Amino acid sequence: CHYVHIGCGELEETEKAWVKKNQLEQYVTFISYTDRVADYLASCDFYLMPSHCEGLGNACVEAMASRLFCIVNDAPGLNTLIEDDVTGLVLDANNIPLVADQIVKFCNDKEEYNRITHNAQDAVAKKYSLKNVDQLIEVYA
């Protein structure tokens, strides 16, 4: 298992220090900013978003469109974007054993993994396609 952290923010140095303190450097890669998001998404099997509050969750929508298996925290924004056990999983991201168990479960059940990632990609295509641009503009206007 290897965790790729894409993005930056005020907690980045704290997160890096935690990884170093726990001797996890070989398992974690920090990518502060990149214009190669699609390349990184294509190299992953799961997308984890443990945010406690999220707006639309554009990064999660990108992951869904890339057919990544999305696991999100049961938080406002995310718990409406992901339909639990249909387009991903919504759970308590602070419950690390539960998150780990779910990852192992879906690694071992490719049929269910494919069902959920296919559903997620279809949901994004239906809701966020070009034919819905006017509705999307209204969200941001």
Side-chain angles (χ1 to χ4, degrees):
C1 184
H2 192 87
Y3 181 79
V4 178
H5 181 285
I6 298 176
C8 55
E10 60 188 52
L11 296 176
E12 184 176 8
E13 292 308 315
T14 303
E15 293 166 346
K16 287 179 178 178
W18 185 91
V19 166
K20 185 172 183 165
K21 176 185 171 195
N22 290 282
Q23 301 176 344
L24 297 171
E25 296 97 338
Q26 68 185 15
Y27 302 108
V28 179
T29 301
F30 284 92
I31 309 294
S32 292
Y33 171 80
T34 182
D35 59 359
R36 296 180 43 229
V37 173
D39 294 336
Y40 286 105
L41 290 176
S43 72
C44 296
D45 297 311
F46 291 89
Y47 177 85
L48 305 175
M49 193 166 218
S51 300
H52 292 282
C53 185
E54 193 70 37
L56 176 60
N58 287 331
C60 189
V61 172
E62 291 171 350
M64 293 168 71
S66 299
R67 287 197 67 181
L68 278 178
F69 193 105
C70 296
I71 300 174
V72 301
N73 193 33
D74 189 5
L78 295 175
N79 59 12
T80 55
L81 176 61
I82 296 290
E83 186 177 350
D84 190 43
D85 203 38
V86 176
T87 60
L89 294 181
V90 178
L91 47 75
D92 177 2
N94 293 314
N95 185 339
I96 303 303
L98 174 63
V99 173
D101 286 348
Q102 292 301 307
I103 290 171
V104 170
K105 173 186 171 183
F106 286 96
C107 278
N108 292 325
D109 190 343
K110 286 299 183 189
E111 187 174 313
E112 280 298 292
Y113 178 100
N114 289 330
R115 175 187 66 84
I116 288 175
T117 59
H118 180 77
N119 288 345
Q121 189 178 49
D122 283 351
V124 169
K126 288 175 186 167
K127 191 167 185 178
Y128 301 105
S129 68
L130 288 177
K131 67 181 181 179
N132 296 324
V133 168
D134 291 336
Q135 294 171 5
L136 291 173
I137 290 171
E138 286 182 31
V139 169
Y140 291 103

